[in-house]
Amino acid sequence: WLGERSYGIYLLHFMVMPLYRQLTDSVLDRGMASSVGWMLAVCGCATVSFRWIEQPILRLREPIEARLGLAFR
């Protein structure tokens, strides 16, 4: 699970961190609860990205590989 989403986590954590800090500054100090919440938010965004962006693009590649007789996996 983590391996499939690791690139999305890497890309999205730069965008999620500032937004999460702005939303939670007044509620949580930056302790353990805030860190866990931030990690859950990043993993949730990466899961949505994987499901709705990455998988459809990967499915488009499969017919092209079959037509060309290529195997990139």
Side-chain angles (χ1 to χ4, degrees):
W1 183 90
L2 187 61
E4 291 178 330
R5 288 156 184 83
S6 62
Y7 187 66
I9 291 169
Y10 167 73
L11 290 178
L12 293 170
H13 89 275
F14 291 112
M15 294 179 274
V16 173
M17 186 190 313
L19 179 63
Y20 186 81
R21 282 190 176 168
Q22 281 184 341
L23 294 174
T24 61
D25 249 351
S26 60
V27 179
L28 299 170
D29 73 4
R30 294 193 177 115
M32 181 63 112
S34 181
S35 296
V36 170
W38 173 74
M39 286 186 264
L40 290 173
V42 171
C43 288
C45 290
T47 298
V48 168
S49 170
F50 180 76
R51 171 67 178 99
W52 297 105
I53 297 172
E54 292 178 46
Q55 282 186 335
I57 291 171
L58 291 173
R59 273 190 241 121
L60 288 175
R61 190 176 79 175
E62 289 172 3
I64 295 170
E65 289 175 355
R67 271 187 266 141
L68 298 175
L70 301 173
F72 292 113
R73 294 181 187 189

